[in-house]
Amino acid sequence: MTQAPVTSPGERRRHDREIVALAVPAFGALVAEPLFVMADSAIVGHLGTAQLAGLGVASALLMTAVGVFVFLAYATTSAVARRLGAGDLRAAIRQGMDGIWLALCIGIAAVAVTLPSAPSLMALFGASDTAAPYATTYLRISAFGIPAMLIVLAATGVLRGLQDTRTPLYVAVGGFAANAALNVLLVYGLGLGIAGSAWGTVMAQWAMAAVYLSVVVRGARKHGASLRPDGPGIRACAQAGAPLLVRTLSLRAILLIATAVAARLGDAEMAAHQIILSLWSLLAFALDAIAIAGQAIIGRYLGAGDARGARETCQRMIQWGIATGVVLGLLVMVTRSAFLPLFSEDSGVRDAALPALVVVALVQPVCGIAYVLDGVLMGAGDGPYLARAMLLTLAVFTPVALLVPTLGGGLTALWGAMALMMAMRMLTLWLRSRSGRWIVTGATR
């Protein structure tokens, strides 16, 4: 077991400045991402209920598919930050290019699968007869934006690894503005309907990818890094990302199981669950921003061979996670009664949600620790352990959640199972952080 390092007030302030400088812009970029779907929904919603329903099904499928490949950002951040810490900026950017090429390959494969299977996918996801044609149209057009979205993920990882979270914020905000303007022009100005919304989003996504690529290419040319695809490098990126893919799929499975159980509890409970899940996602953005800072900072310290700096940062980030979790928990507790009427006037929905929100509030400090340690271990390139830990968490959560309809307790019990899941995540990650086995220094792990 490793002991927590003793840090001076000056060192703590230095760590705080680093964390804030990276986490605040990262939070802004994370919040900007779901605004794409919100803007599309607001614009398409005026076309009709069937069009909006079609957009909902298609966008849910797209966001799930892209979310599965978030490892393109996580693995790239860690690898680039390590090489930056080792003082080899040329190799750092070269590593980033390998991640971008991998993203392009996956994106092309996704387009090839999505185009012919769009009608079947819409039927599988339960689109109604009236919504299915709109959903299929939106999905087929939007598929051409998948490579751009994956390139954005990988390029975001490159910039985070280079300790730059401001550029992703600017690109995200610019992309949101362009998406909204293009949607209005194409949907209403040119009368293209839901197809116009899809084309507007695709154009905005490729514009974002182009901006990212210009930044990375400029850096590559400045430091003499090759832009050509490198087979071994791309395979290495895929191998590094595979455990994080397992981790992400396990987490997605937990959320799907929770939603399936909530649906079995009744319509009011399902509606309340959806409201709470939206809030849960918003709270996660704040905690994930700190985790992103951890990925970048930890990777840089380990690449520089500074094990003590990595331990100090880990310890300070745990404190940040606890403090942020306490603040978020208090906000949820204080505002929960005022928050719910914004989403539903149904007393049954509010009655189901209010006690469950108490559980959400109480578990936020635990979430804070889990999220930041997740970021620390990602920054260390400890993907295989993260995959095993999440599979174990899934194995613990699943039977507990599935017993909720049988044993009673309703939605509060289900969110109690979610709290148990977060406690399990925290425990497994805390034990790993205490062991010190994640501390592997050098330009590569």
Side-chain angles (χ1 to χ4, degrees), residues 230-319:
D230 175 63
I234 295 172
R235 285 194 296 273
C237 285
Q239 290 169 357
L244 296 180
L245 177 61
V246 172
R247 168 202 167 275
T248 301
L249 288 173
S250 300
L251 183 56
R252 292 276 175 178
I254 287 171
L255 296 176
L256 287 173
I257 290 169
T259 299
V261 171
R264 293 175 61 188
L265 297 176
D267 289 347
E269 286 79 4
M270 182 60 213
H273 176 74
Q274 186 59 38
I275 294 170
I276 296 172
L277 200 59
S278 299
L279 175 63
W280 181 269
S281 299
L282 180 61
L283 298 173
F285 285 144
L287 298 173
D288 204 28
I290 304 173
I292 287 169
Q295 293 173 36
I297 297 170
I298 293 292
R300 193 190 75 229
Y301 274 125
L302 293 177
D306 188 353
R308 185 176 188 275
R311 290 191 187 94
E312 289 177 350
T313 301
C314 176
Q315 187 65 25
R316 190 57 176 163
M317 291 192 67
I318 290 173
Q319 295 168 359

Side-chain angles (χ1 to χ4, degrees), residues 204-232:
Q205 288 162 345
W206 275 108
M208 292 171 66
V211 173
Y212 273 117
L213 288 173
S214 68
V215 173
V216 175
V217 168
R218 188 165 60 247
R221 288 175 174 168
K222 179 179 178 181
H223 297 282
S226 174
L227 298 173
R228 294 179 180 178
D230 175 63

Side-chain angles (χ1 to χ4, degrees), residues 268 344-354:
S344 176
E345 294 296 332
D346 189 322
S347 60
V349 173
R350 293 201 303 270
D351 290 344
L354 275 172

Side-chain angles (χ1 to χ4, degrees), residues 6 22 52 63 78 93 100 153 164 177-178 196 205 252 278 289 297 301 309 348 354 367 373 407 425 428:
V6 178
L22 291 172
L52 183 59
M63 291 303 99
S78 169
I93 296 175
I100 290 172
L153 281 178
D164 176 9
Q205 288 162 345
R252 292 276 175 178
S278 299
I297 297 170
Y301 274 125
L354 275 172
C367 295
L373 288 179
L407 298 181
R425 284 184 69 183
T428 56

